[in-house]
Amino acid sequence: MPTTSKTAHVVLAATTLGIGVVQILQAERYYRRRLALHAAEMHQALLAEIASDEELQAAWAAPDEQPLASDYALLVHCNRQVSLLSAKFRAGLLDRRTLRVQAQWLMRREIGRTYWRQSGAFRETEARDRTDRVFNAILDDEYTAAAEPDTVTA
C-alpha cells in the first residue's frame, strides 16, 4: 500500500475517532442537562407542596425561625423562582445578560431581597461548580444594587 494511502487511512481513522469522541461528549452534556432539568422539576413540585401546607412549612423552617405561615409561603415561592432561574441558566436557556435582567426584576421586589438576604450565603455555600458561582454572583450583584444600604450584610 502506498504511503499516501496509509496516511489517508490514518487521517480518516483519526477524524472518525475525533467525531465519535465529540458526539459522546455532546450526548453526555445533553444527558446531564436533562438530569438537571428533571431534578429541578422535582424540586419545584416539593416547593409547591411546602408552600401550600402549613405543617410542611413548620417542618422545613429553620428551628430558630418560625415565621408566619404566609411569610414563609412567600419565601418558598421566591425559592421556586430562584431555583427556576438557576435551572434555566444551567441548561443554557438564559445567558448572563438575560439572567441579570431577571435578577434585577426579582430584586426590585421586597420578597426577592428578603429571600436573598436570608438564603444567598447558603446558596453560595452549596454551589457545586463555576455555573452555580456565576449564577450566585449575578444575583448577589443585583441584590446589592437594589438593597437599601443598611440592609446589605457583609
Side-chain angles (χ1 to χ4, degrees), residues 38-140:
H38 183 63
E41 182 181 357
M42 291 186 309
H43 187 242
Q44 289 290 317
L46 174 64
L47 292 174
E49 285 183 56
I50 293 169
S52 63
D53 185 324
E54 288 186 22
E55 189 174 333
L56 287 174
Q57 291 170 25
W60 283 104
D64 57 335
E65 296 177 4
Q66 289 296 322
L68 295 173
S70 61
D71 293 342
Y72 192 76
L74 289 174
L75 289 172
V76 172
H77 280 296
C78 191
N79 187 3
R80 289 182 75 190
Q81 178 66 27
V82 171
S83 296
L84 176 61
L85 291 175
S86 177
K88 288 173 70 174
F89 184 65
R90 178 164 293 283
L93 300 174
L94 294 174
D95 60 15
R96 289 178 189 215
R97 185 193 66 77
T98 54
L99 173 59
R100 190 166 297 281
V101 169
Q102 293 291 313
Q104 287 170 354
W105 180 89
L106 179 66
M107 296 305 171
R108 282 196 302 258
R109 282 132 186 93
E110 180 61 34
I111 190 64
R113 294 188 305 274
T114 299
Y115 171 80
W116 196 255
R117 188 171 41 256
Q118 292 180 4
S119 302
F122 175 74
R123 290 186 75 91
E124 184 56 37
T125 301
E126 72 172 352
R128 69 182 177 111
D129 59 17
R130 183 177 179 273
T131 301
D132 287 344
R133 287 187 293 278
V134 168
F135 176 85
N136 291 338
I138 290 172
L139 265 69
D140 199 57

